[in-house]
Amino acid sequence: MKSQKKIPTSKVQRATKFVKTGVKVGGNYIKHYAKKAVNPSLSKEQLHEDNARDIYNSLSELKGSALKVAQMMSMEKNVLPKAYTDRFTMAQYNAPPLSGPLVVKTFKQYFGKSPQEIFDKFNMEAVNAASIGQVHEAFIGGKKLAVKVQYPGVADSIESDLKMVRPFAQRLLKLNEKDIDKYMGEVKEKLTEETNYELELARSVEISEAIRAANLGDLVFTHYYPEYSSTRILTMDWLEGTHLTEFMKTNPSQEVRNKVGQLLWDFYDFQMHTIKKVHADPHPGNFLMREDGSLGVIDFGCVKEIPHDFYDLYFVVLQPNILDNEVLLDEALYALQFLYEDDTPEEIKFFKGIFQQMIELLCRPFRYDTFDFGNDAYFEELFRYGEKLSNMKELRESTKSRGSHHSLYLNRTYFGLYSMLNELKANIRITKPFD
């Protein structure tokens, strides 16, 4: 992939890029409706393809918060057209990399030396490029290292980028004003943390050591090097393995797929219910899978700390009798801000019905001792329901945000986990916090 020699860093440069993208998207709509006037049966598939390409190409040049939002939206498979999720998935680990001179400039800014002066060998060509930074291969004393370098200007442009990407996100995700405010607020908080590599290093060590001590199985974590790290550069041991799509191409046995799936489930279960700090970026680019069924975990940049009072409210919906206990269900829906005391009877009936079905669907795996995530019928049901929600006028026009802001990353984490388990076609044992 061709490297990128510069990144627009000023507000004016980045705003200009967004405006040009908006013009392209507008042009795509004009072309689509002109063709549709001639052929009324024309679908929106090509329009989605053109818009997804133009939006992604623009965001991938900007990097940072703008591209991170695209990465997050790639996980909204139950909301976005397939053209967008397919294209935005590239932001997870296949974005255009930065050229060598920009990498050297970053090293000199934080260490006063080039990478070649620090390491015995440093590969200037990135092996992996995502939304916030890219990874390079390096060696010291024969030890192979992974060096993550943050893109210039990313941390300084979070607020302005999110303001500019907001219209795209709101239109694609079909969120009302209150929900997009909540969505962008939580994203801003997490991105501010994610651009601080010193914080990521500390969290990585804390969480990985807790999981190692719990003996959850063949989960593999890297070792970090603070002396070769800074707020914008992070150095660690190289972890071997392949990402999920490549792993599945090797045709692993059902036994191995189940083992990897169980490790993923136990990894998240322990974080959710024991330490209440969660690796909240559950996309395939953050996991390395091996043929023996072991699982490498990387990138603790996005961690959601679960407040104890919210934890008790959120996970009460996992209780097996919750949908049959109207008093308990109502208490949970009001406490989680899905329902409000000043809702009209019509609103209560409407939104309660929506969230009852949502709870039944999302919590269905918890109703069983084992669950086959390879059951595509379940995921088709999830997709259809998500599509139905995205087209509901009542949700888009609601003047209230439905659901606590803490739910955003936890819901996203579970959906990301479910999606990976589905791609693995894993059948796993379900642990339940309220047993």
Side-chain angles (χ1 to χ4, degrees):
M1 183 181 292
K2 188 177 179 180
S3 64
Q4 190 172 333
K5 292 183 170 57
K6 62 180 180 178
I7 294 178
T9 54
S10 76
K11 288 183 180 180
V12 173
Q13 289 174 326
R14 296 177 78 80
T16 300
K17 190 69 180 176
F18 273 105
V19 170
K20 288 180 178 178
T21 304
V23 171
K24 281 187 179 181
V25 170
N28 292 339
Y29 274 97
I30 292 171
K31 285 189 291 184
H32 169 75
Y33 286 113
K35 291 178 181 177
K36 194 170 180 65
V38 178
N39 179 11
S41 63
L42 185 69
S43 75
K44 284 189 173 182
E45 188 173 331
Q46 188 59 51
L47 173 64
H48 292 322
E49 290 279 357
D50 292 342
N51 283 345
R53 179 199 62 235
D54 290 338
I55 292 172
Y56 175 76
N57 287 346
S58 175
L59 299 185
S60 65
E61 287 183 33
L62 291 169
K63 311 291 189 193
S65 309
L67 188 56
K68 186 68 178 182
V69 172
Q71 177 187 307
M72 292 176 66
M73 289 194 294
S74 75
M75 298 169 66
E76 304 288 350
K77 294 182 174 65
N78 60 330
V79 175
L80 292 182
K82 186 173 184 296
Y84 289 97
T85 56
D86 287 350
R87 182 71 64 164
F88 291 175
T89 295
M90 295 171 66
Q92 295 173 2
Y93 46 83
N94 198 27
L98 284 191
S99 64
L102 284 178
V103 174
V104 172
K105 182 179 178 181
T106 302
F107 266 88
K108 287 190 172 180
Q109 180 180 352
Y110 289 97
F111 292 111
K113 299 178 181 179
S114 70
Q116 290 82 1
E117 293 176 286
I118 296 173
F119 303 102
D120 295 340
K121 180 181 178 183
F122 185 89
N123 187 346
M124 293 301 297
E125 185 176 338
V127 294
N128 185 309
S131 53
I132 302 297
Q134 62 189 40
V135 177
H136 292 259
E137 179 186 74
F139 292 86
I140 283 185
K143 183 178 283 290
K144 188 177 181 180
L145 306 174
V147 183
K148 185 160 71 168
V149 182
Q150 190 173 127
Y151 302 131
V154 166
D156 300 326
S157 62
I158 291 173
E159 188 164 359
S160 57
D161 272 10
L162 291 182
K163 285 180 181 177
M164 289 185 285
V165 81
R166 176 191 171 111
F168 287 115
Q170 184 169 6
R171 181 166 188 170
L172 291 175
L173 297 176
K174 299 179 182 177
L175 296 174
N176 61 45
E177 285 293 327
K178 294 292 185 181
D179 281 332
I180 195 67
D181 285 345
K182 178 176 66 178
Y183 185 89
M184 287 299 174
E186 187 79 352
V187 169
K188 178 184 174 183
E189 179 185 331
K190 289 290 140 226
L191 281 171
T192 301
E193 295 177 358
E194 198 167 348
T195 54
N196 183 345
Y197 283 178
E198 290 176 335
L199 177 62
E200 178 180 345
L201 191 155
R203 283 175 162 173
S204 300
V205 171
E206 177 190 2
I207 295 174
S208 60
E209 287 183 353
I211 292 174
R212 284 193 191 100
N215 295 317
L216 297 183
D218 289 333
L219 285 163
V220 183
F221 303 94
T222 190
H223 172 77
Y224 292 86
Y225 295 87
E227 64 271 31
Y228 305 127
S229 301
S230 70
T231 55
R232 304 291 181 254
I233 296 170
L234 189 60
T235 301
M236 66 203 84
D237 284 337
W238 186 274
L239 278 186
E240 298 293 344
T242 57
H243 295 302
L244 180 54
T245 301
E246 290 73 26
F247 176 71
M248 291 302 290
K249 288 177 182 176
T250 66
N251 195 28
S253 67
Q254 185 67 53
E255 181 183 4
V256 168
R257 285 185 280 120
N258 288 349
K259 181 180 178 183
V260 173
Q262 192 68 55
L263 287 170
L264 276 169
W265 181 272
D266 293 344
F267 171 71
Y268 278 104
D269 181 77
F270 178 81
Q271 293 172 91
M272 292 275 193
H273 306 301
T274 302
I275 60 176
K276 297 180 176 60
K277 293 181 181 180
V278 183
H279 179 293
D281 203 4
H283 65 75
N286 284 337
F287 296 92
L288 296 168
M289 300 170 185
R290 290 89 173 274
E291 61 181 14
D292 64 355
S294 58
L295 179 69
V297 184
I298 56 177
D299 198 341
F300 283 86
C302 182
V303 170
K304 174 64 181 176
E305 297 192 19
I306 309 173
H308 284 268
D309 55 348
F310 175 76
Y311 172 89
D312 293 334
L313 296 173
Y314 183 84
F315 286 103
V316 73
V317 300
L318 298 184
Q319 295 190 62
N321 67 334
I322 185 72
L323 295 176
D324 300 319
N325 187 330
E326 193 145 353
V327 173
L328 190 61
L329 177 63
D330 284 352
E331 286 179 358
L333 292 179
Y334 280 104
L336 290 168
Q337 298 171 16
F338 288 127
L339 297 178
Y340 292 85
E341 294 294 342
D342 61 348
D343 281 339
T344 66
E346 292 76 17
E347 286 175 323
I348 291 172
K349 181 179 179 181
F350 176 76
F351 288 110
K352 185 175 178 179
I354 285 177
F355 294 119
Q356 279 179 306
Q357 189 173 354
M358 186 184 296
I359 289 168
E360 193 285 319
L361 272 172
L362 294 179
C363 300
R364 189 179 296 173
F366 289 91
R367 312 287 184 240
Y368 300 90
D369 293 327
T370 61
F371 194 81
D372 182 8
F373 283 92
N375 179 2
D376 287 332
Y378 169 62
F379 284 86
E380 287 168 10
E381 195 175 348
L382 275 175
F383 177 83
R384 286 195 302 270
Y385 188 65
E387 197 171 36
K388 176 182 173 182
L389 290 182
S390 71
N391 290 315
M392 278 185 176
K393 183 180 178 182
E394 295 90 342
L395 280 175
R396 291 199 305 274
E397 296 182 356
S398 174
T399 58
K400 298 170 183 172
S401 173
R402 302 284 169 173
S404 165
H405 71 282
H406 292 301
S407 302
L408 175 64
Y409 271 86
L410 294 188
N411 291 346
R412 178 172 166 256
T413 297
Y414 269 116
F415 192 78
L417 172 61
Y418 284 13
S419 296
M420 286 190 289
L421 293 173
N422 174 242
E423 192 168 345
L424 276 167
K425 307 298 180 192
N427 192 328
I428 65 167
R429 174 178 45 82
I430 303 297
T431 47
K432 305 167 189 177
F434 283 96
D435 277 356

